Short mmCIF file of all heavy atoms in Angstrom, two decimals:
data_model
loop_
_atom_site.label_atom_id
_atom_site.label_comp_id
_atom_site.label_asym_id
_atom_site.label_seq_id
_atom_site.Cartn_x
_atom_site.Cartn_y
_atom_site.Cartn_z
N MET A 12 -22.09 -28.28 13.07
CA MET A 12 -23.25 -27.41 13.26
C MET A 12 -23.85 -27.09 11.89
O MET A 12 -23.14 -26.80 10.94
CB MET A 12 -22.83 -26.13 13.98
CG MET A 12 -23.96 -25.12 14.09
SD MET A 12 -23.45 -23.54 14.79
CE MET A 12 -23.76 -23.85 16.50
N ALA A 13 -25.16 -27.16 11.82
CA ALA A 13 -25.83 -26.89 10.56
C ALA A 13 -25.83 -25.39 10.28
O ALA A 13 -25.87 -24.57 11.19
CB ALA A 13 -27.27 -27.40 10.64
N ASP A 14 -25.77 -25.05 9.01
CA ASP A 14 -25.80 -23.65 8.61
C ASP A 14 -27.23 -23.19 8.45
O ASP A 14 -28.02 -23.82 7.74
CB ASP A 14 -25.06 -23.46 7.28
CG ASP A 14 -23.56 -23.57 7.46
OD1 ASP A 14 -23.06 -23.20 8.54
OD2 ASP A 14 -22.89 -24.03 6.52
N VAL A 15 -27.56 -22.11 9.08
CA VAL A 15 -28.85 -21.46 8.94
C VAL A 15 -28.59 -20.01 8.56
O VAL A 15 -27.75 -19.34 9.17
CB VAL A 15 -29.68 -21.52 10.24
CG1 VAL A 15 -30.97 -20.74 10.09
CG2 VAL A 15 -29.95 -22.96 10.63
N THR A 16 -29.31 -19.53 7.55
CA THR A 16 -29.19 -18.14 7.14
C THR A 16 -30.54 -17.47 7.29
O THR A 16 -31.57 -18.01 6.85
CB THR A 16 -28.74 -18.05 5.66
OG1 THR A 16 -27.49 -18.69 5.52
CG2 THR A 16 -28.64 -16.60 5.22
N ILE A 17 -30.54 -16.33 7.94
CA ILE A 17 -31.75 -15.53 8.10
C ILE A 17 -31.55 -14.22 7.36
O ILE A 17 -30.60 -13.49 7.65
CB ILE A 17 -32.06 -15.26 9.59
CG1 ILE A 17 -32.23 -16.58 10.34
CG2 ILE A 17 -33.33 -14.39 9.71
CD1 ILE A 17 -32.37 -16.43 11.84
N THR A 18 -32.43 -13.94 6.41
CA THR A 18 -32.35 -12.71 5.64
C THR A 18 -33.51 -11.80 6.02
O THR A 18 -34.68 -12.22 5.94
CB THR A 18 -32.42 -13.00 4.13
OG1 THR A 18 -31.38 -13.92 3.80
CG2 THR A 18 -32.28 -11.73 3.31
N VAL A 19 -33.20 -10.58 6.44
CA VAL A 19 -34.22 -9.58 6.75
C VAL A 19 -34.57 -8.92 5.42
O VAL A 19 -33.81 -8.13 4.88
CB VAL A 19 -33.71 -8.54 7.76
CG1 VAL A 19 -34.83 -7.56 8.10
CG2 VAL A 19 -33.18 -9.22 9.01
N ARG A 20 -35.73 -9.27 4.90
CA ARG A 20 -36.09 -8.81 3.56
C ARG A 20 -36.70 -7.41 3.61
O ARG A 20 -37.50 -7.10 4.50
CB ARG A 20 -37.06 -9.81 2.92
CG ARG A 20 -36.41 -11.20 2.84
CD ARG A 20 -37.35 -12.22 2.32
NE ARG A 20 -37.35 -12.16 0.86
CZ ARG A 20 -38.29 -12.71 0.11
NH1 ARG A 20 -39.30 -13.32 0.67
NH2 ARG A 20 -38.22 -12.64 -1.20
N ASP A 21 -36.28 -6.57 2.68
CA ASP A 21 -36.79 -5.21 2.63
C ASP A 21 -38.31 -5.21 2.55
O ASP A 21 -38.91 -5.89 1.70
CB ASP A 21 -36.23 -4.47 1.41
CG ASP A 21 -34.78 -4.06 1.60
OD1 ASP A 21 -34.23 -4.25 2.71
OD2 ASP A 21 -34.18 -3.55 0.62
N ASN A 22 -38.94 -4.46 3.45
CA ASN A 22 -40.39 -4.28 3.48
C ASN A 22 -41.15 -5.60 3.57
O ASN A 22 -42.29 -5.70 3.08
CB ASN A 22 -40.88 -3.50 2.25
CG ASN A 22 -40.12 -2.21 2.08
OD1 ASN A 22 -39.85 -1.51 3.04
ND2 ASN A 22 -39.75 -1.89 0.85
N GLY A 23 -40.52 -6.60 4.16
CA GLY A 23 -41.17 -7.90 4.19
C GLY A 23 -40.72 -8.77 5.35
O GLY A 23 -40.39 -8.29 6.43
N ASN A 24 -40.69 -10.05 5.08
CA ASN A 24 -40.54 -11.07 6.11
C ASN A 24 -39.08 -11.38 6.42
O ASN A 24 -38.16 -10.79 5.85
CB ASN A 24 -41.26 -12.34 5.64
CG ASN A 24 -40.89 -12.71 4.23
OD1 ASN A 24 -39.73 -12.65 3.87
ND2 ASN A 24 -41.86 -13.07 3.42
N LEU A 25 -38.91 -12.35 7.30
CA LEU A 25 -37.61 -12.94 7.57
C LEU A 25 -37.54 -14.25 6.83
O LEU A 25 -38.35 -15.16 7.06
CB LEU A 25 -37.43 -13.20 9.08
CG LEU A 25 -37.50 -11.99 10.00
CD1 LEU A 25 -37.47 -12.45 11.46
CD2 LEU A 25 -36.36 -11.03 9.73
N LYS A 26 -36.60 -14.37 5.93
CA LYS A 26 -36.42 -15.61 5.18
C LYS A 26 -35.39 -16.47 5.90
O LYS A 26 -34.26 -16.03 6.11
CB LYS A 26 -35.94 -15.30 3.76
CG LYS A 26 -35.74 -16.52 2.90
CD LYS A 26 -35.29 -16.12 1.50
CE LYS A 26 -35.12 -17.32 0.60
NZ LYS A 26 -34.62 -16.91 -0.75
N VAL A 27 -35.80 -17.67 6.30
CA VAL A 27 -34.94 -18.56 7.06
C VAL A 27 -34.60 -19.76 6.18
O VAL A 27 -35.50 -20.49 5.75
CB VAL A 27 -35.62 -19.03 8.36
CG1 VAL A 27 -34.67 -19.90 9.18
CG2 VAL A 27 -36.09 -17.83 9.19
N GLU A 28 -33.32 -19.92 5.92
CA GLU A 28 -32.86 -21.03 5.08
C GLU A 28 -31.96 -21.94 5.90
O GLU A 28 -31.07 -21.46 6.59
CB GLU A 28 -32.10 -20.49 3.87
CG GLU A 28 -32.96 -19.62 2.98
CD GLU A 28 -32.14 -18.92 1.92
OE1 GLU A 28 -31.50 -17.92 2.25
OE2 GLU A 28 -32.15 -19.40 0.77
N GLY A 29 -32.23 -23.21 5.82
CA GLY A 29 -31.45 -24.18 6.57
C GLY A 29 -32.36 -25.06 7.39
O GLY A 29 -33.56 -24.80 7.48
N PRO A 30 -31.83 -26.08 7.99
CA PRO A 30 -32.65 -26.97 8.81
C PRO A 30 -33.04 -26.29 10.11
O PRO A 30 -32.20 -26.08 10.98
CB PRO A 30 -31.74 -28.18 9.04
CG PRO A 30 -30.37 -27.64 8.91
CD PRO A 30 -30.43 -26.50 7.94
N VAL A 31 -34.30 -25.91 10.23
CA VAL A 31 -34.77 -25.23 11.44
C VAL A 31 -36.03 -25.91 11.96
O VAL A 31 -36.76 -26.56 11.22
CB VAL A 31 -35.09 -23.74 11.20
CG1 VAL A 31 -33.83 -22.98 10.81
CG2 VAL A 31 -36.18 -23.56 10.18
N THR A 32 -36.26 -25.73 13.26
CA THR A 32 -37.50 -26.14 13.89
C THR A 32 -38.13 -24.88 14.45
O THR A 32 -37.47 -24.09 15.12
CB THR A 32 -37.22 -27.13 15.04
OG1 THR A 32 -36.54 -28.27 14.51
CG2 THR A 32 -38.51 -27.57 15.71
N VAL A 33 -39.42 -24.67 14.16
CA VAL A 33 -40.15 -23.51 14.67
C VAL A 33 -41.12 -24.02 15.73
O VAL A 33 -41.98 -24.85 15.42
CB VAL A 33 -40.90 -22.77 13.53
CG1 VAL A 33 -41.61 -21.54 14.08
CG2 VAL A 33 -39.94 -22.39 12.41
N LEU A 34 -40.97 -23.52 16.96
CA LEU A 34 -41.78 -23.96 18.08
C LEU A 34 -42.75 -22.88 18.51
O LEU A 34 -42.43 -21.69 18.46
CB LEU A 34 -40.88 -24.33 19.27
CG LEU A 34 -39.81 -25.39 19.03
CD1 LEU A 34 -38.96 -25.55 20.30
CD2 LEU A 34 -40.43 -26.71 18.61
N ASP A 35 -43.93 -23.30 19.00
CA ASP A 35 -44.86 -22.33 19.58
C ASP A 35 -44.48 -22.09 21.05
O ASP A 35 -43.49 -22.63 21.55
CB ASP A 35 -46.31 -22.78 19.41
CG ASP A 35 -46.68 -24.00 20.25
OD1 ASP A 35 -45.91 -24.40 21.14
OD2 ASP A 35 -47.77 -24.56 19.99
N GLY A 36 -45.28 -21.29 21.73
CA GLY A 36 -44.99 -20.94 23.10
C GLY A 36 -45.07 -22.09 24.08
O GLY A 36 -44.65 -21.97 25.24
N GLN A 37 -45.62 -23.23 23.63
CA GLN A 37 -45.69 -24.41 24.49
C GLN A 37 -44.71 -25.49 24.06
O GLN A 37 -44.79 -26.62 24.52
CB GLN A 37 -47.12 -24.95 24.49
CG GLN A 37 -48.11 -23.96 25.08
CD GLN A 37 -49.52 -24.49 25.10
OE1 GLN A 37 -49.93 -25.19 24.17
NE2 GLN A 37 -50.26 -24.15 26.13
N GLY A 38 -43.82 -25.11 23.14
CA GLY A 38 -42.79 -26.04 22.72
C GLY A 38 -43.21 -27.03 21.65
O GLY A 38 -42.47 -27.97 21.36
N ARG A 39 -44.38 -26.81 21.07
CA ARG A 39 -44.82 -27.71 19.99
C ARG A 39 -44.33 -27.17 18.65
O ARG A 39 -44.37 -25.97 18.40
CB ARG A 39 -46.34 -27.83 19.99
CG ARG A 39 -46.86 -28.64 21.16
CD ARG A 39 -48.34 -28.85 21.05
NE ARG A 39 -49.03 -27.60 21.25
CZ ARG A 39 -50.07 -27.44 22.07
NH1 ARG A 39 -50.57 -28.45 22.72
NH2 ARG A 39 -50.63 -26.26 22.21
N ALA A 40 -43.94 -28.10 17.81
CA ALA A 40 -43.37 -27.71 16.52
C ALA A 40 -44.45 -27.43 15.48
O ALA A 40 -45.43 -28.17 15.36
CB ALA A 40 -42.44 -28.81 16.02
N PHE A 41 -44.26 -26.34 14.76
CA PHE A 41 -45.08 -26.08 13.57
C PHE A 41 -44.55 -26.97 12.45
O PHE A 41 -43.34 -27.18 12.34
CB PHE A 41 -44.95 -24.62 13.12
CG PHE A 41 -45.58 -23.63 14.04
CD1 PHE A 41 -44.83 -23.01 15.04
CD2 PHE A 41 -46.92 -23.30 13.90
CE1 PHE A 41 -45.41 -22.08 15.89
CE2 PHE A 41 -47.51 -22.37 14.75
CZ PHE A 41 -46.75 -21.76 15.75
N PRO A 42 -45.45 -27.48 11.62
CA PRO A 42 -44.95 -28.22 10.47
C PRO A 42 -44.29 -27.26 9.48
O PRO A 42 -44.87 -26.23 9.14
CB PRO A 42 -46.22 -28.84 9.87
CG PRO A 42 -47.35 -28.02 10.39
CD PRO A 42 -46.91 -27.42 11.68
N VAL A 43 -43.09 -27.59 9.11
CA VAL A 43 -42.39 -26.78 8.10
C VAL A 43 -41.88 -27.73 7.01
O VAL A 43 -41.43 -28.83 7.31
CB VAL A 43 -41.22 -25.97 8.70
CG1 VAL A 43 -41.73 -24.90 9.65
CG2 VAL A 43 -40.23 -26.86 9.40
N PRO A 44 -41.98 -27.30 5.78
CA PRO A 44 -41.54 -28.16 4.68
C PRO A 44 -40.03 -28.35 4.71
O PRO A 44 -39.28 -27.38 4.79
CB PRO A 44 -41.99 -27.41 3.42
CG PRO A 44 -42.17 -26.00 3.86
CD PRO A 44 -42.51 -26.02 5.32
N GLU A 45 -39.61 -29.60 4.67
CA GLU A 45 -38.18 -29.91 4.72
C GLU A 45 -37.50 -29.47 3.43
O GLU A 45 -38.04 -29.66 2.33
CB GLU A 45 -38.00 -31.42 4.93
CG GLU A 45 -36.60 -31.80 5.37
CD GLU A 45 -36.52 -33.25 5.80
OE1 GLU A 45 -37.49 -33.75 6.40
OE2 GLU A 45 -35.49 -33.87 5.52
N GLY A 46 -36.36 -28.86 3.58
CA GLY A 46 -35.58 -28.48 2.42
C GLY A 46 -36.05 -27.21 1.74
O GLY A 46 -35.55 -26.86 0.67
N GLN A 47 -37.02 -26.53 2.33
CA GLN A 47 -37.50 -25.27 1.75
C GLN A 47 -37.29 -24.15 2.75
O GLN A 47 -37.27 -24.36 3.96
CB GLN A 47 -38.99 -25.36 1.41
CG GLN A 47 -39.30 -26.37 0.32
CD GLN A 47 -40.79 -26.40 0.00
OE1 GLN A 47 -41.51 -25.44 0.24
NE2 GLN A 47 -41.25 -27.51 -0.54
N ALA A 48 -37.19 -22.93 2.23
CA ALA A 48 -37.06 -21.76 3.10
C ALA A 48 -38.36 -21.56 3.87
O ALA A 48 -39.45 -21.92 3.41
CB ALA A 48 -36.74 -20.52 2.27
N VAL A 49 -38.24 -20.98 5.06
CA VAL A 49 -39.38 -20.61 5.89
C VAL A 49 -39.41 -19.08 5.94
O VAL A 49 -38.37 -18.44 6.06
CB VAL A 49 -39.21 -21.19 7.32
CG1 VAL A 49 -40.29 -20.68 8.25
CG2 VAL A 49 -39.22 -22.71 7.27
N PHE A 50 -40.62 -18.51 5.85
CA PHE A 50 -40.75 -17.06 5.86
C PHE A 50 -41.54 -16.65 7.09
O PHE A 50 -42.72 -16.97 7.22
CB PHE A 50 -41.46 -16.59 4.57
CG PHE A 50 -40.69 -16.95 3.33
CD1 PHE A 50 -40.92 -18.17 2.69
CD2 PHE A 50 -39.72 -16.11 2.84
CE1 PHE A 50 -40.20 -18.52 1.56
CE2 PHE A 50 -38.99 -16.46 1.71
CZ PHE A 50 -39.23 -17.67 1.07
N LEU A 51 -40.87 -15.96 8.00
CA LEU A 51 -41.49 -15.54 9.26
C LEU A 51 -41.94 -14.09 9.16
O LEU A 51 -41.22 -13.23 8.66
CB LEU A 51 -40.48 -15.69 10.40
CG LEU A 51 -39.98 -17.11 10.66
CD1 LEU A 51 -38.93 -17.10 11.77
CD2 LEU A 51 -41.13 -18.05 11.02
N CYS A 52 -43.14 -13.85 9.68
CA CYS A 52 -43.70 -12.50 9.68
C CYS A 52 -42.93 -11.61 10.64
O CYS A 52 -42.61 -12.00 11.75
CB CYS A 52 -45.17 -12.57 10.11
SG CYS A 52 -45.96 -10.95 10.26
N ARG A 53 -42.67 -10.40 10.20
CA ARG A 53 -42.10 -9.41 11.13
C ARG A 53 -42.90 -8.13 11.10
O ARG A 53 -42.51 -7.14 11.72
CB ARG A 53 -40.61 -9.16 10.86
CG ARG A 53 -40.28 -8.42 9.58
CD ARG A 53 -38.76 -8.27 9.46
NE ARG A 53 -38.43 -7.53 8.25
CZ ARG A 53 -38.02 -6.27 8.23
NH1 ARG A 53 -37.84 -5.61 9.36
NH2 ARG A 53 -37.74 -5.68 7.09
N CYS A 54 -44.02 -8.11 10.39
CA CYS A 54 -44.83 -6.90 10.33
C CYS A 54 -45.99 -6.93 11.33
O CYS A 54 -46.56 -5.90 11.65
CB CYS A 54 -45.39 -6.71 8.92
SG CYS A 54 -46.79 -7.79 8.51
N GLY A 55 -46.37 -8.12 11.79
CA GLY A 55 -47.46 -8.25 12.75
C GLY A 55 -48.83 -8.39 12.12
O GLY A 55 -49.82 -8.54 12.84
N HIS A 56 -48.94 -8.37 10.81
CA HIS A 56 -50.24 -8.40 10.14
C HIS A 56 -50.65 -9.78 9.62
O HIS A 56 -51.77 -9.95 9.15
CB HIS A 56 -50.28 -7.40 8.99
CG HIS A 56 -50.22 -5.97 9.44
ND1 HIS A 56 -51.31 -5.30 9.93
CD2 HIS A 56 -49.18 -5.11 9.52
CE1 HIS A 56 -50.97 -4.07 10.27
NE2 HIS A 56 -49.66 -3.93 10.03
N SER A 57 -49.79 -10.75 9.68
CA SER A 57 -50.10 -12.06 9.13
C SER A 57 -51.23 -12.76 9.89
O SER A 57 -51.31 -12.68 11.12
CB SER A 57 -48.86 -12.95 9.17
OG SER A 57 -49.18 -14.26 8.73
N ASN A 58 -52.08 -13.43 9.18
CA ASN A 58 -53.12 -14.26 9.78
C ASN A 58 -52.63 -15.68 10.02
O ASN A 58 -53.39 -16.52 10.52
CB ASN A 58 -54.36 -14.28 8.90
CG ASN A 58 -55.04 -12.93 8.87
OD1 ASN A 58 -55.31 -12.33 9.90
ND2 ASN A 58 -55.30 -12.41 7.67
N THR A 59 -51.41 -15.97 9.65
CA THR A 59 -50.84 -17.30 9.83
C THR A 59 -49.55 -17.23 10.63
O THR A 59 -48.60 -17.94 10.36
CB THR A 59 -50.59 -17.99 8.47
OG1 THR A 59 -49.67 -17.19 7.71
CG2 THR A 59 -51.88 -18.20 7.71
N LYS A 60 -49.50 -16.32 11.61
CA LYS A 60 -48.29 -16.18 12.44
C LYS A 60 -47.89 -17.52 13.02
O LYS A 60 -48.76 -18.31 13.37
CB LYS A 60 -48.54 -15.18 13.57
CG LYS A 60 -48.74 -13.76 13.10
CD LYS A 60 -48.95 -12.87 14.31
CE LYS A 60 -49.40 -11.48 13.93
NZ LYS A 60 -50.84 -11.43 13.60
N PRO A 61 -46.63 -17.78 13.10
CA PRO A 61 -45.52 -16.87 12.91
C PRO A 61 -45.08 -16.74 11.46
O PRO A 61 -44.06 -16.12 11.18
CB PRO A 61 -44.42 -17.49 13.76
CG PRO A 61 -44.66 -18.97 13.60
CD PRO A 61 -46.17 -19.11 13.57
N PHE A 62 -45.83 -17.32 10.55
CA PHE A 62 -45.41 -17.31 9.16
C PHE A 62 -46.00 -16.12 8.41
O PHE A 62 -47.10 -15.65 8.72
CB PHE A 62 -45.82 -18.63 8.48
CG PHE A 62 -45.27 -19.83 9.19
CD1 PHE A 62 -46.07 -20.60 10.01
CD2 PHE A 62 -43.92 -20.16 9.08
CE1 PHE A 62 -45.56 -21.69 10.70
CE2 PHE A 62 -43.39 -21.26 9.76
CZ PHE A 62 -44.22 -22.02 10.58
N CYS A 63 -45.31 -15.69 7.41
CA CYS A 63 -45.77 -14.60 6.55
C CYS A 63 -46.84 -15.12 5.60
O CYS A 63 -46.69 -16.20 5.03
CB CYS A 63 -44.58 -14.07 5.75
SG CYS A 63 -45.00 -12.88 4.47
N ASP A 64 -47.92 -14.36 5.44
CA ASP A 64 -48.95 -14.72 4.47
C ASP A 64 -49.08 -13.66 3.37
O ASP A 64 -50.04 -13.67 2.61
CB ASP A 64 -50.29 -14.96 5.15
CG ASP A 64 -50.90 -13.71 5.74
OD1 ASP A 64 -50.26 -12.64 5.69
OD2 ASP A 64 -52.03 -13.80 6.25
N GLY A 65 -48.14 -12.75 3.31
CA GLY A 65 -48.15 -11.70 2.30
C GLY A 65 -48.92 -10.45 2.71
O GLY A 65 -48.95 -9.48 1.95
N SER A 66 -49.50 -10.46 3.90
CA SER A 66 -50.29 -9.30 4.35
C SER A 66 -49.46 -8.03 4.49
O SER A 66 -50.03 -6.94 4.50
CB SER A 66 -50.98 -9.61 5.68
OG SER A 66 -51.94 -10.62 5.54
N HIS A 67 -48.15 -8.17 4.62
CA HIS A 67 -47.31 -6.97 4.76
C HIS A 67 -47.46 -6.03 3.57
O HIS A 67 -47.36 -4.82 3.72
CB HIS A 67 -45.84 -7.37 4.96
CG HIS A 67 -45.25 -8.18 3.87
ND1 HIS A 67 -45.28 -9.56 3.86
CD2 HIS A 67 -44.64 -7.80 2.72
CE1 HIS A 67 -44.67 -10.01 2.77
NE2 HIS A 67 -44.29 -8.96 2.05
N ARG A 68 -47.74 -6.60 2.41
CA ARG A 68 -47.89 -5.76 1.21
C ARG A 68 -49.10 -4.86 1.33
O ARG A 68 -49.01 -3.65 1.13
CB ARG A 68 -48.00 -6.63 -0.04
CG ARG A 68 -46.72 -7.38 -0.35
CD ARG A 68 -46.81 -8.13 -1.68
NE ARG A 68 -45.82 -9.18 -1.74
CZ ARG A 68 -46.04 -10.46 -1.45
NH1 ARG A 68 -47.25 -10.88 -1.13
NH2 ARG A 68 -45.07 -11.34 -1.51
N GLY A 69 -50.25 -5.43 1.66
CA GLY A 69 -51.47 -4.65 1.80
C GLY A 69 -51.43 -3.67 2.97
O GLY A 69 -52.08 -2.63 2.94
N ALA A 70 -50.64 -4.02 3.98
CA ALA A 70 -50.53 -3.17 5.16
C ALA A 70 -49.55 -2.02 4.93
O ALA A 70 -49.46 -1.12 5.76
CB ALA A 70 -50.08 -4.01 6.36
N GLY A 71 -48.83 -2.07 3.83
CA GLY A 71 -47.86 -1.01 3.56
C GLY A 71 -46.65 -1.04 4.48
O GLY A 71 -46.06 -0.01 4.76
N PHE A 72 -46.30 -2.24 4.94
CA PHE A 72 -45.16 -2.37 5.85
C PHE A 72 -43.89 -1.85 5.19
O PHE A 72 -43.56 -2.23 4.07
CB PHE A 72 -45.00 -3.84 6.25
CG PHE A 72 -43.86 -4.10 7.19
CD1 PHE A 72 -43.86 -3.59 8.47
CD2 PHE A 72 -42.79 -4.89 6.78
CE1 PHE A 72 -42.81 -3.85 9.35
CE2 PHE A 72 -41.74 -5.16 7.65
CZ PHE A 72 -41.75 -4.64 8.93
N GLN A 73 -43.19 -0.98 5.91
CA GLN A 73 -41.96 -0.39 5.41
C GLN A 73 -40.84 -0.62 6.41
O GLN A 73 -40.95 -0.19 7.56
CB GLN A 73 -42.12 1.12 5.20
CG GLN A 73 -43.15 1.52 4.15
CD GLN A 73 -42.62 1.32 2.75
OE1 GLN A 73 -41.52 1.77 2.42
NE2 GLN A 73 -43.37 0.62 1.91
N SER A 74 -39.82 -1.29 6.00
CA SER A 74 -38.64 -1.46 6.86
C SER A 74 -37.50 -1.97 6.01
O SER A 74 -37.60 -3.03 5.38
CB SER A 74 -38.94 -2.46 7.98
OG SER A 74 -37.77 -2.71 8.74
N GLN A 75 -36.46 -1.19 5.96
CA GLN A 75 -35.23 -1.62 5.29
C GLN A 75 -34.11 -1.48 6.30
O GLN A 75 -33.65 -0.38 6.57
CB GLN A 75 -34.91 -0.75 4.07
CG GLN A 75 -35.95 -0.80 2.97
CD GLN A 75 -36.95 0.34 3.08
OE1 GLN A 75 -36.62 1.43 3.48
NE2 GLN A 75 -38.20 0.06 2.74
N VAL A 76 -33.76 -2.60 6.90
CA VAL A 76 -32.68 -2.56 7.88
C VAL A 76 -31.37 -2.95 7.21
O VAL A 76 -31.35 -3.76 6.28
CB VAL A 76 -32.98 -3.47 9.10
CG1 VAL A 76 -34.19 -2.98 9.85
CG2 VAL A 76 -33.17 -4.91 8.67
N ARG A 77 -30.30 -2.37 7.69
CA ARG A 77 -28.98 -2.63 7.12
C ARG A 77 -28.01 -3.01 8.21
O ARG A 77 -28.01 -2.41 9.29
CB ARG A 77 -28.45 -1.39 6.37
CG ARG A 77 -29.31 -0.99 5.17
CD ARG A 77 -29.23 -2.03 4.07
NE ARG A 77 -30.04 -1.68 2.91
CZ ARG A 77 -31.23 -2.22 2.64
NH1 ARG A 77 -31.77 -3.11 3.48
NH2 ARG A 77 -31.90 -1.88 1.57
N ALA A 78 -27.20 -3.99 7.92
CA ALA A 78 -26.17 -4.40 8.87
C ALA A 78 -25.10 -3.31 8.93
O ALA A 78 -24.85 -2.61 7.95
CB ALA A 78 -25.55 -5.71 8.42
N THR A 79 -24.51 -3.19 10.10
CA THR A 79 -23.40 -2.25 10.27
C THR A 79 -22.21 -3.01 10.79
O THR A 79 -22.31 -4.19 11.16
CB THR A 79 -23.77 -1.14 11.27
OG1 THR A 79 -23.94 -1.74 12.56
CG2 THR A 79 -25.05 -0.44 10.86
N GLU A 80 -21.12 -2.34 10.87
CA GLU A 80 -19.91 -2.95 11.40
C GLU A 80 -19.93 -2.99 12.92
O GLU A 80 -19.13 -3.66 13.53
CB GLU A 80 -18.69 -2.15 10.93
CG GLU A 80 -18.49 -2.17 9.42
CD GLU A 80 -18.15 -3.56 8.90
OE1 GLU A 80 -17.40 -4.28 9.57
OE2 GLU A 80 -18.65 -3.91 7.81
N ALA A 81 -20.90 -2.29 13.52
CA ALA A 81 -20.94 -2.18 14.97
C ALA A 81 -21.27 -3.53 15.60
O ALA A 81 -21.98 -4.36 15.02
CB ALA A 81 -21.97 -1.15 15.40
N ASP A 82 -20.78 -3.73 16.79
CA ASP A 82 -21.08 -4.92 17.58
C ASP A 82 -22.56 -4.91 17.97
O ASP A 82 -23.01 -3.96 18.61
CB ASP A 82 -20.20 -4.92 18.82
CG ASP A 82 -20.42 -6.16 19.69
OD1 ASP A 82 -21.33 -6.96 19.40
OD2 ASP A 82 -19.68 -6.31 20.67
N PRO A 83 -23.34 -5.95 17.56
CA PRO A 83 -24.77 -5.94 17.87
C PRO A 83 -25.05 -6.09 19.37
O PRO A 83 -26.16 -5.85 19.83
CB PRO A 83 -25.32 -7.13 17.09
CG PRO A 83 -24.14 -8.03 16.88
CD PRO A 83 -22.94 -7.12 16.83
N GLY A 84 -24.09 -6.52 20.14
CA GLY A 84 -24.33 -6.70 21.57
C GLY A 84 -24.01 -5.46 22.30
O GLY A 84 -24.49 -4.96 23.21
S1 FES B 27 -44.06 -9.97 7.03
FE1 FES B 27 -45.44 -10.79 5.62
S2 FES B 27 -47.33 -10.79 6.63
FE2 FES B 27 -45.96 -9.94 8.06
#
């Protein structure tokens, strides 16, 4: 199984590292650069969803989530 790491970045996007395929709602793949990290918007302000375009900065998006020892399920 390939390793994929997703980092929830403070006040910003989701950084996805590893071999991933990003599909739209109809199952079509977005072009993603091979071997590079993908940055997914989690603020809702991007004009290039599902990808981050940096709009979170101008929007003042604030979110610092922290992992806990608790079971996420
Ligand atoms: S997280 Fe960057 S534009 Fe939404």
Side-chain angles (χ1 to χ4, degrees):
M12 174 186 269
D14 287 328
V15 176
T16 300
I17 301 173
T18 304
V19 183
R20 301 176 83 196
D21 285 354
N22 308 319
N24 48 43
L25 299 173
K26 180 179 182 182
V27 183
E28 298 171 281
V31 296
T32 301
V33 182
L34 303 177
D35 69 12
Q37 296 181 323
R39 289 185 290 229
F41 290 94
V43 293
E45 196 170 324
Q47 295 181 23
V49 173
F50 299 90
L51 299 176
C52 176
R53 71 180 181 106
C54 76
H56 293 280
S57 176
N58 292 309
T59 60
K60 293 181 190 78
F62 303 102
C63 172
D64 67 357
S66 294
H67 59 269
R68 293 186 200 96
F72 180 65
Q73 297 284 310
S74 175
Q75 298 95 34
V76 296
R77 297 292 180 258
T79 66
E80 296 294 322
D82 181 354

